[in-house]
Amino acid sequence: MKTKKILLVEDDQMLLSLLEFRLKKEGYHVLTATNGKDAISIIKSDHPDLVISDIMMPFVSGLELTGFIKNEYENEIPIVLISSAGQEEMVLEAFNLGADDFIAKPFSPNELIVRLKKMM
């Protein structure tokens, strides 16, 4: 079975490192970006199997990234959005744009892993 490639987009370096470590430990191939602009480049060049993205980021937000993947890029890559800004409007907008899941920060890395396994 091919190793699943996950793009992890998070501007908080500590959380990025923690999640990258945890995902690699689970056997995933992990690509990382600290902003949405870099994430778009990685998506175009590396074609990840799944994207996990923070919503609040520099240059291109997680919501804009979701819109890009689902509309412009026209790909069915599953997207999990994470955010500490859990306002209902933002969560609803994320789902309307095509996000497959939403996790509010703080969250357990184990919860993220369980959700990922369910999606793949």
Side-chain angles (χ1 to χ4, degrees):
M1 194 173 104
K2 185 173 117 18
T3 302
K4 295 288 186 186
K5 205 182 314 180
I6 293 178
L7 172 58
L8 181 57
V9 191
E10 171 61 67
D11 59 340
D12 175 336
Q13 194 60 55
M14 197 128 105
L15 182 57
L16 181 73
S17 298
L18 171 82
L19 292 175
E20 179 183 13
F21 173 79
R22 189 67 178 81
L23 290 167
K24 282 182 175 176
K25 200 173 149 194
E26 284 295 319
Y28 296 109
H29 175 75
V30 183
L31 307 164
T32 62
T34 55
N35 64 66
K37 198 169 128 195
D38 291 348
I40 289 172
S41 298
I42 292 169
I43 288 165
K44 288 178 177 178
S45 64
D46 291 286
H47 314 290
D49 299 304
L50 185 132
V51 174
I52 301 168
S53 177
D54 188 11
I55 289 182
M56 308 293 242
M57 287 185 304
F59 308 118
V60 176
S61 75
L63 294 176
E64 292 167 319
L65 183 62
T66 301
F68 164 78
I69 292 169
K70 298 298 184 177
N71 301 317
E72 292 173 53
Y73 191 63
E74 294 181 350
N75 197 305
E76 290 305 309
I77 301 171
I79 304 166
V80 177
L81 290 177
I82 55 178
S83 181
S84 53
Q87 302 99 335
E88 188 180 357
E89 309 85 61
M90 196 179 289
V91 175
L92 293 174
E93 185 179 353
F95 283 117
N96 286 335
L97 287 168
D100 296 279
D101 204 350
F102 178 90
I103 303 177
K105 291 180 190 174
F107 59 88
S108 151
N110 291 334
E111 178 187 355
L112 177 63
I113 299 298
V114 167
R115 288 178 185 228
L116 294 181
K117 285 182 177 175
K118 211 172 151 189
M119 291 173 80
M120 293 201 211

mmCIF file of all heavy atoms in Angstrom, residues 6-10 31-48 50-54 57-62 64-66 68-69 73 77:
data_model
loop_
_atom_site.group_PDB
_atom_site.id
_atom_site.type_symbol
_atom_site.label_atom_id
_atom_site.label_comp_id
_atom_site.label_asym_id
_atom_site.label_seq_id
_atom_site.Cartn_x
_atom_site.Cartn_y
_atom_site.Cartn_z
ATOM 1 N N ILE A 6 0.445 13.762 3.188
ATOM 2 C CA ILE A 6 -0.388 14.778 3.834
ATOM 3 C C ILE A 6 0.337 16.116 3.808
ATOM 4 O O ILE A 6 1.518 16.203 4.155
ATOM 5 C CB ILE A 6 -0.692 14.392 5.299
ATOM 6 C CG1 ILE A 6 -1.577 13.142 5.342
ATOM 7 C CG2 ILE A 6 -1.376 15.554 6.029
ATOM 8 C CD1 ILE A 6 -1.899 12.651 6.732
ATOM 9 N N LEU A 7 -0.381 17.150 3.386
ATOM 10 C CA LEU A 7 0.152 18.511 3.456
ATOM 11 C C LEU A 7 -0.389 19.143 4.727
ATOM 12 O O LEU A 7 -1.601 19.231 4.926
ATOM 13 C CB LEU A 7 -0.266 19.341 2.238
ATOM 14 C CG LEU A 7 0.066 20.835 2.297
ATOM 15 C CD1 LEU A 7 1.568 21.078 2.484
ATOM 16 C CD2 LEU A 7 -0.443 21.554 1.065
ATOM 17 N N LEU A 8 0.510 19.575 5.596
ATOM 18 C CA LEU A 8 0.169 20.200 6.866
ATOM 19 C C LEU A 8 0.513 21.688 6.762
ATOM 20 O O LEU A 8 1.665 22.041 6.530
ATOM 21 C CB LEU A 8 0.979 19.516 7.964
ATOM 22 C CG LEU A 8 0.797 19.963 9.402
ATOM 23 C CD1 LEU A 8 -0.651 19.850 9.840
ATOM 24 C CD2 LEU A 8 1.694 19.133 10.304
ATOM 25 N N VAL A 9 -0.505 22.550 6.901
ATOM 26 C CA VAL A 9 -0.307 23.993 6.752
ATOM 27 C C VAL A 9 -0.660 24.668 8.074
ATOM 28 O O VAL A 9 -1.815 24.687 8.486
ATOM 29 C CB VAL A 9 -1.194 24.570 5.619
ATOM 30 C CG1 VAL A 9 -0.779 25.998 5.291
ATOM 31 C CG2 VAL A 9 -1.158 23.692 4.376
ATOM 32 N N GLU A 10 0.354 25.212 8.737
ATOM 33 C CA GLU A 10 0.166 25.819 10.063
ATOM 34 C C GLU A 10 1.252 26.859 10.282
ATOM 35 O O GLU A 10 2.427 26.566 10.073
ATOM 36 C CB GLU A 10 0.236 24.707 11.125
ATOM 37 C CG GLU A 10 0.280 25.154 12.559
ATOM 38 C CD GLU A 10 -0.934 25.959 12.997
ATOM 39 O OE1 GLU A 10 -2.041 25.407 13.063
ATOM 40 O OE2 GLU A 10 -0.748 27.159 13.284
ATOM 41 N N LEU A 31 4.270 16.750 4.195
ATOM 42 C CA LEU A 31 4.794 17.973 3.574
ATOM 43 C C LEU A 31 4.297 19.109 4.462
ATOM 44 O O LEU A 31 3.193 19.031 4.988
ATOM 45 C CB LEU A 31 4.226 18.134 2.157
ATOM 46 C CG LEU A 31 4.393 16.939 1.225
ATOM 47 C CD1 LEU A 31 3.468 17.070 0.029
ATOM 48 C CD2 LEU A 31 5.837 16.847 0.768
ATOM 49 N N THR A 32 5.098 20.168 4.635
ATOM 50 C CA THR A 32 4.646 21.268 5.488
ATOM 51 C C THR A 32 4.767 22.614 4.788
ATOM 52 O O THR A 32 5.607 22.804 3.912
ATOM 53 C CB THR A 32 5.456 21.337 6.808
ATOM 54 O OG1 THR A 32 6.826 21.586 6.499
ATOM 55 C CG2 THR A 32 5.323 20.056 7.603
ATOM 56 N N ALA A 33 3.901 23.523 5.215
ATOM 57 C CA ALA A 33 3.940 24.912 4.759
ATOM 58 C C ALA A 33 3.496 25.776 5.930
ATOM 59 O O ALA A 33 2.696 25.344 6.764
ATOM 60 C CB ALA A 33 3.009 25.120 3.568
ATOM 61 N N THR A 34 4.035 26.992 6.010
ATOM 62 C CA THR A 34 3.658 27.888 7.105
ATOM 63 C C THR A 34 2.690 28.984 6.656
ATOM 64 O O THR A 34 2.322 29.845 7.438
ATOM 65 C CB THR A 34 4.903 28.535 7.745
ATOM 66 O OG1 THR A 34 5.659 29.174 6.724
ATOM 67 C CG2 THR A 34 5.753 27.489 8.451
ATOM 68 N N ASN A 35 2.287 28.949 5.385
ATOM 69 C CA ASN A 35 1.269 29.895 4.908
ATOM 70 C C ASN A 35 0.561 29.300 3.690
ATOM 71 O O ASN A 35 1.060 28.354 3.067
ATOM 72 C CB ASN A 35 1.893 31.269 4.591
ATOM 73 C CG ASN A 35 2.888 31.197 3.455
ATOM 74 O OD1 ASN A 35 2.528 30.925 2.310
ATOM 75 N ND2 ASN A 35 4.157 31.424 3.766
ATOM 76 N N GLY A 36 -0.585 29.869 3.368
ATOM 77 C CA GLY A 36 -1.398 29.352 2.274
ATOM 78 C C GLY A 36 -0.774 29.498 0.904
ATOM 79 O O GLY A 36 -1.022 28.686 0.010
ATOM 80 N N LYS A 37 0.044 30.526 0.734
ATOM 81 C CA LYS A 37 0.700 30.753 -0.563
ATOM 82 C C LYS A 37 1.657 29.598 -0.877
ATOM 83 O O LYS A 37 1.642 29.041 -1.973
ATOM 84 C CB LYS A 37 1.447 32.086 -0.494
ATOM 85 C CG LYS A 37 1.808 32.674 -1.827
ATOM 86 C CD LYS A 37 2.287 34.108 -1.615
ATOM 87 C CE LYS A 37 3.619 34.266 -2.305
ATOM 88 N NZ LYS A 37 4.343 35.443 -1.922
ATOM 89 N N ASP A 38 2.487 29.236 0.102
ATOM 90 C CA ASP A 38 3.410 28.109 -0.076
ATOM 91 C C ASP A 38 2.627 26.804 -0.248
ATOM 92 O O ASP A 38 3.029 25.923 -1.013
ATOM 93 C CB ASP A 38 4.363 27.980 1.123
ATOM 94 C CG ASP A 38 5.362 29.129 1.203
ATOM 95 O OD1 ASP A 38 5.485 29.903 0.222
ATOM 96 O OD2 ASP A 38 6.011 29.269 2.254
ATOM 97 N N ALA A 39 1.517 26.685 0.462
ATOM 98 C CA ALA A 39 0.685 25.478 0.370
ATOM 99 C C ALA A 39 0.187 25.264 -1.058
ATOM 100 O O ALA A 39 0.201 24.136 -1.564
ATOM 101 C CB ALA A 39 -0.493 25.573 1.338
ATOM 102 N N ILE A 40 -0.241 26.336 -1.718
ATOM 103 C CA ILE A 40 -0.727 26.225 -3.103
ATOM 104 C C ILE A 40 0.374 25.697 -4.020
ATOM 105 O O ILE A 40 0.136 24.819 -4.852
ATOM 106 C CB ILE A 40 -1.299 27.581 -3.591
ATOM 107 C CG1 ILE A 40 -2.626 27.852 -2.875
ATOM 108 C CG2 ILE A 40 -1.490 27.578 -5.109
ATOM 109 C CD1 ILE A 40 -3.225 29.222 -3.108
ATOM 110 N N SER A 41 1.597 26.197 -3.846
ATOM 111 C CA SER A 41 2.726 25.716 -4.655
ATOM 112 C C SER A 41 2.962 24.222 -4.432
ATOM 113 O O SER A 41 3.183 23.468 -5.379
ATOM 114 C CB SER A 41 4.012 26.468 -4.296
ATOM 115 O OG SER A 41 3.871 27.829 -4.567
ATOM 116 N N ILE A 42 2.912 23.806 -3.168
ATOM 117 C CA ILE A 42 3.134 22.392 -2.831
ATOM 118 C C ILE A 42 2.019 21.515 -3.410
ATOM 119 O O ILE A 42 2.282 20.432 -3.939
ATOM 120 C CB ILE A 42 3.252 22.205 -1.299
ATOM 121 C CG1 ILE A 42 4.544 22.876 -0.795
ATOM 122 C CG2 ILE A 42 3.223 20.731 -0.912
ATOM 123 C CD1 ILE A 42 4.660 22.987 0.713
ATOM 124 N N ILE A 43 0.793 21.994 -3.353
ATOM 125 C CA ILE A 43 -0.338 21.233 -3.896
ATOM 126 C C ILE A 43 -0.141 21.017 -5.399
ATOM 127 O O ILE A 43 -0.310 19.908 -5.908
ATOM 128 C CB ILE A 43 -1.681 21.944 -3.612
ATOM 129 C CG1 ILE A 43 -2.010 21.829 -2.122
ATOM 130 C CG2 ILE A 43 -2.811 21.360 -4.465
ATOM 131 C CD1 ILE A 43 -3.098 22.767 -1.643
ATOM 132 N N LYS A 44 0.265 22.074 -6.097
ATOM 133 C CA LYS A 44 0.465 21.977 -7.549
ATOM 134 C C LYS A 44 1.617 21.044 -7.911
ATOM 135 O O LYS A 44 1.538 20.319 -8.895
ATOM 136 C CB LYS A 44 0.729 23.372 -8.131
ATOM 137 C CG LYS A 44 -0.501 24.255 -8.145
ATOM 138 C CD LYS A 44 -0.144 25.631 -8.681
ATOM 139 C CE LYS A 44 -1.352 26.530 -8.778
ATOM 140 N NZ LYS A 44 -0.994 27.882 -9.246
ATOM 141 N N SER A 45 2.682 21.044 -7.108
ATOM 142 C CA SER A 45 3.855 20.239 -7.448
ATOM 143 C C SER A 45 3.836 18.823 -6.876
ATOM 144 O O SER A 45 4.323 17.890 -7.501
ATOM 145 C CB SER A 45 5.133 20.952 -7.004
ATOM 146 O OG SER A 45 5.176 21.081 -5.600
ATOM 147 N N ASP A 46 3.272 18.644 -5.675
ATOM 148 C CA ASP A 46 3.364 17.345 -4.991
ATOM 149 C C ASP A 46 2.065 16.551 -4.893
ATOM 150 O O ASP A 46 2.088 15.401 -4.472
ATOM 151 C CB ASP A 46 3.940 17.538 -3.581
ATOM 152 C CG ASP A 46 5.404 17.949 -3.620
ATOM 153 O OD1 ASP A 46 6.231 17.090 -3.921
ATOM 154 O OD2 ASP A 46 5.702 19.124 -3.359
ATOM 155 N N HIS A 47 0.945 17.154 -5.229
ATOM 156 C CA HIS A 47 -0.356 16.470 -5.236
ATOM 157 C C HIS A 47 -0.608 15.610 -3.990
ATOM 158 O O HIS A 47 -0.660 14.387 -4.063
ATOM 159 C CB HIS A 47 -0.494 15.603 -6.495
ATOM 160 C CG HIS A 47 -0.080 16.299 -7.741
ATOM 161 N ND1 HIS A 47 -0.806 17.339 -8.293
ATOM 162 C CD2 HIS A 47 1.022 16.146 -8.526
ATOM 163 C CE1 HIS A 47 -0.190 17.774 -9.381
ATOM 164 N NE2 HIS A 47 0.927 17.076 -9.539
ATOM 165 N N PRO A 48 -0.765 16.261 -2.815
ATOM 166 C CA PRO A 48 -0.995 15.491 -1.579
ATOM 167 C C PRO A 48 -2.335 14.752 -1.612
ATOM 168 O O PRO A 48 -3.237 15.119 -2.365
ATOM 169 C CB PRO A 48 -0.988 16.565 -0.489
ATOM 170 C CG PRO A 48 -1.362 17.819 -1.195
ATOM 171 C CD PRO A 48 -0.811 17.701 -2.580
ATOM 172 N N LEU A 50 -4.178 14.456 1.150
ATOM 173 C CA LEU A 50 -5.042 15.112 2.126
ATOM 174 C C LEU A 50 -4.354 16.393 2.591
ATOM 175 O O LEU A 50 -3.127 16.452 2.636
ATOM 176 C CB LEU A 50 -5.270 14.188 3.325
ATOM 177 C CG LEU A 50 -6.245 14.699 4.381
ATOM 178 C CD1 LEU A 50 -7.247 13.599 4.737
ATOM 179 C CD2 LEU A 50 -5.524 15.141 5.633
ATOM 180 N N VAL A 51 -5.155 17.416 2.910
ATOM 181 C CA VAL A 51 -4.621 18.683 3.410
ATOM 182 C C VAL A 51 -5.208 18.970 4.782
ATOM 183 O O VAL A 51 -6.417 18.863 4.985
ATOM 184 C CB VAL A 51 -4.954 19.859 2.449
ATOM 185 C CG1 VAL A 51 -4.520 21.195 3.031
ATOM 186 C CG2 VAL A 51 -4.308 19.644 1.082
ATOM 187 N N ILE A 52 -4.317 19.308 5.718
ATOM 188 C CA ILE A 52 -4.734 19.783 7.044
ATOM 189 C C ILE A 52 -4.260 21.224 7.112
ATOM 190 O O ILE A 52 -3.068 21.490 6.936
ATOM 191 C CB ILE A 52 -4.061 18.978 8.176
ATOM 192 C CG1 ILE A 52 -4.407 17.494 8.079
ATOM 193 C CG2 ILE A 52 -4.475 19.546 9.542
ATOM 194 C CD1 ILE A 52 -3.558 16.617 8.986
ATOM 195 N N SER A 53 -5.169 22.157 7.326
ATOM 196 C CA SER A 53 -4.771 23.559 7.303
ATOM 197 C C SER A 53 -5.411 24.375 8.423
ATOM 198 O O SER A 53 -6.591 24.208 8.727
ATOM 199 C CB SER A 53 -5.161 24.188 5.959
ATOM 200 O OG SER A 53 -4.857 25.563 5.941
ATOM 201 N N ASP A 54 -4.603 25.249 8.978
ATOM 202 C CA ASP A 54 -5.114 26.256 9.905
ATOM 203 C C ASP A 54 -5.960 27.223 9.075
ATOM 204 O O ASP A 54 -5.746 27.351 7.860
ATOM 205 C CB ASP A 54 -3.924 26.984 10.555
ATOM 206 C CG ASP A 54 -4.327 27.912 11.680
ATOM 207 O OD1 ASP A 54 -5.488 27.861 12.123
ATOM 208 O OD2 ASP A 54 -3.468 28.691 12.114
ATOM 209 N N MET A 57 -4.053 32.356 8.623
ATOM 210 C CA MET A 57 -2.651 32.299 8.206
ATOM 211 C C MET A 57 -2.290 33.505 7.359
ATOM 212 O O MET A 57 -3.157 34.139 6.776
ATOM 213 C CB MET A 57 -2.415 31.041 7.365
ATOM 214 C CG MET A 57 -2.408 29.773 8.144
ATOM 215 S SD MET A 57 -1.994 28.412 7.074
ATOM 216 C CE MET A 57 -3.217 28.538 5.799
ATOM 217 N N PRO A 58 -0.975 33.779 7.264
ATOM 218 C CA PRO A 58 -0.546 34.890 6.414
ATOM 219 C C PRO A 58 -0.744 34.591 4.923
ATOM 220 O O PRO A 58 -0.742 33.437 4.515
ATOM 221 C CB PRO A 58 0.933 35.053 6.742
ATOM 222 C CG PRO A 58 1.334 33.927 7.613
ATOM 223 C CD PRO A 58 0.113 33.165 7.996
ATOM 224 N N PHE A 59 -0.889 35.641 4.149
ATOM 225 C CA PHE A 59 -0.995 35.624 2.677
ATOM 226 C C PHE A 59 -2.289 35.025 2.151
ATOM 227 O O PHE A 59 -3.074 35.693 1.520
ATOM 228 C CB PHE A 59 0.216 34.941 2.004
ATOM 229 C CG PHE A 59 1.540 35.467 2.452
ATOM 230 C CD1 PHE A 59 2.452 34.643 3.091
ATOM 231 C CD2 PHE A 59 1.871 36.806 2.282
ATOM 232 C CE1 PHE A 59 3.676 35.126 3.527
ATOM 233 C CE2 PHE A 59 3.089 37.305 2.714
ATOM 234 C CZ PHE A 59 3.997 36.457 3.338
ATOM 235 N N VAL A 60 -2.513 33.739 2.402
ATOM 236 C CA VAL A 60 -3.717 33.056 1.928
ATOM 237 C C VAL A 60 -4.281 32.276 3.116
ATOM 238 O O VAL A 60 -3.578 31.454 3.704
ATOM 239 C CB VAL A 60 -3.371 32.077 0.760
ATOM 240 C CG1 VAL A 60 -4.588 31.290 0.339
ATOM 241 C CG2 VAL A 60 -2.776 32.836 -0.428
ATOM 242 N N SER A 61 -5.522 32.542 3.474
ATOM 243 C CA SER A 61 -6.127 31.869 4.641
ATOM 244 C C SER A 61 -6.504 30.424 4.302
ATOM 245 O O SER A 61 -6.555 30.039 3.124
ATOM 246 C CB SER A 61 -7.378 32.617 5.090
ATOM 247 O OG SER A 61 -8.447 32.363 4.188
ATOM 248 N N GLY A 62 -6.801 29.661 5.330
ATOM 249 C CA GLY A 62 -7.254 28.290 5.129
ATOM 250 C C GLY A 62 -8.559 28.225 4.349
ATOM 251 O O GLY A 62 -8.789 27.290 3.583
ATOM 252 N N GLU A 64 -9.477 30.447 2.006
ATOM 253 C CA GLU A 64 -9.103 30.716 0.609
ATOM 254 C C GLU A 64 -8.429 29.495 -0.014
ATOM 255 O O GLU A 64 -8.661 29.173 -1.180
ATOM 256 C CB GLU A 64 -8.168 31.929 0.527
ATOM 257 C CG GLU A 64 -8.854 33.237 0.898
ATOM 258 C CD GLU A 64 -7.887 34.390 1.128
ATOM 259 O OE1 GLU A 64 -6.822 34.174 1.756
ATOM 260 O OE2 GLU A 64 -8.199 35.501 0.668
ATOM 261 N N LEU A 65 -7.618 28.808 0.773
ATOM 262 C CA LEU A 65 -6.947 27.596 0.311
ATOM 263 C C LEU A 65 -7.978 26.516 -0.036
ATOM 264 O O LEU A 65 -7.882 25.856 -1.073
ATOM 265 C CB LEU A 65 -5.978 27.087 1.386
ATOM 266 C CG LEU A 65 -5.144 25.864 1.036
ATOM 267 C CD1 LEU A 65 -4.232 26.138 -0.149
ATOM 268 C CD2 LEU A 65 -4.310 25.440 2.246
ATOM 269 N N THR A 66 -8.986 26.373 0.809
ATOM 270 C CA THR A 66 -10.064 25.414 0.557
ATOM 271 C C THR A 66 -10.782 25.758 -0.739
ATOM 272 O O THR A 66 -11.028 24.884 -1.577
ATOM 273 C CB THR A 66 -11.072 25.404 1.733
ATOM 274 O OG1 THR A 66 -10.367 25.055 2.925
ATOM 275 C CG2 THR A 66 -12.200 24.420 1.499
ATOM 276 N N PHE A 68 -9.603 27.409 -3.260
ATOM 277 C CA PHE A 68 -8.679 27.132 -4.365
ATOM 278 C C PHE A 68 -8.710 25.640 -4.729
ATOM 279 O O PHE A 68 -8.848 25.273 -5.889
ATOM 280 C CB PHE A 68 -7.247 27.549 -4.000
ATOM 281 C CG PHE A 68 -6.205 26.950 -4.922
ATOM 282 C CD1 PHE A 68 -5.994 27.493 -6.180
ATOM 283 C CD2 PHE A 68 -5.482 25.833 -4.541
ATOM 284 C CE1 PHE A 68 -5.064 26.924 -7.047
ATOM 285 C CE2 PHE A 68 -4.549 25.255 -5.400
ATOM 286 C CZ PHE A 68 -4.340 25.803 -6.657
ATOM 287 N N ILE A 69 -8.575 24.782 -3.717
ATOM 288 C CA ILE A 69 -8.521 23.332 -3.972
ATOM 289 C C ILE A 69 -9.819 22.838 -4.608
ATOM 290 O O ILE A 69 -9.804 22.096 -5.586
ATOM 291 C CB ILE A 69 -8.238 22.549 -2.675
ATOM 292 C CG1 ILE A 69 -6.804 22.836 -2.194
ATOM 293 C CG2 ILE A 69 -8.444 21.044 -2.879
ATOM 294 C CD1 ILE A 69 -6.496 22.341 -0.792
ATOM 295 N N TYR A 73 -8.480 24.479 -8.472
ATOM 296 C CA TYR A 73 -7.664 23.286 -8.680
ATOM 297 C C TYR A 73 -8.542 22.100 -9.083
ATOM 298 O O TYR A 73 -8.088 21.167 -9.706
ATOM 299 C CB TYR A 73 -6.875 22.977 -7.399
ATOM 300 C CG TYR A 73 -5.800 21.930 -7.554
ATOM 301 C CD1 TYR A 73 -4.710 22.130 -8.397
ATOM 302 C CD2 TYR A 73 -5.865 20.739 -6.841
ATOM 303 C CE1 TYR A 73 -3.727 21.165 -8.531
ATOM 304 C CE2 TYR A 73 -4.878 19.770 -6.963
ATOM 305 C CZ TYR A 73 -3.814 19.994 -7.812
ATOM 306 O OH TYR A 73 -2.833 19.039 -7.935
ATOM 307 N N ILE A 77 -9.304 16.496 -3.119
ATOM 308 C CA ILE A 77 -8.424 16.270 -1.977
ATOM 309 C C ILE A 77 -9.234 16.559 -0.708
ATOM 310 O O ILE A 77 -9.803 17.639 -0.574
ATOM 311 C CB ILE A 77 -7.206 17.234 -1.991
ATOM 312 C CG1 ILE A 77 -6.385 17.084 -3.255
ATOM 313 C CG2 ILE A 77 -6.338 17.018 -0.757
ATOM 314 C CD1 ILE A 77 -5.315 18.170 -3.411
#
